[in-house]
Amino acid sequence: MQVEHHPLALEFPEFKDTIHTLKLANAHFAKLFDEYTDTDKAINRAENGVDHLGDAALETLKKVRIQLKDQLFQLLQAHPA
């Protein structure tokens, strides 16, 4: 079974334009965004059998993704509309 990615723009479609703006204007947001994207891709590769990770390593990656997503969401909410 193919497991899908969790791109930030699909996770928060109401912030699609803000995500684009912050990626260009805020270096901290851009760094977190890149880390989130890389982590999501690593999880996707592991869940689809492309890369092999132990259960503990996969769970750690998922926790990192959640923490990054929370931080990004806070930055998105703080940005004036």
Side-chain angles (χ1 to χ4, degrees):
M1 178 171 94
Q2 181 82 9
V3 179
E4 296 298 318
H5 284 286
H6 294 268
L8 204 60
L10 288 180
E11 294 290 312
F12 304 120
E14 68 276 18
F15 290 112
K16 186 176 180 181
D17 292 336
T18 306
I19 291 168
H20 178 73
T21 299
L22 286 174
K23 280 189 335 187
L24 298 175
N26 184 317
H28 179 64
F29 183 90
K31 181 179 180 278
L32 292 175
F33 180 86
D34 289 343
E35 288 178 31
Y36 176 86
T37 301
D38 291 345
T39 302
D40 183 54
K41 286 179 182 177
I43 292 167
N44 185 269
R45 290 177 60 84
E47 288 180 334
N48 287 311
V50 176
D51 291 336
H52 300 286
L53 293 177
D55 290 341
L58 182 58
E59 287 304 312
T60 298
L61 277 179
K62 288 181 178 183
K63 288 176 183 176
V64 168
R65 180 174 64 184
I66 289 170
Q67 291 170 345
L68 290 167
K69 185 176 173 181
D70 287 345
Q71 291 176 52
L72 289 162
F73 184 65
Q74 289 176 2
L75 291 170
L76 288 168
Q77 286 184 310
H79 188 268

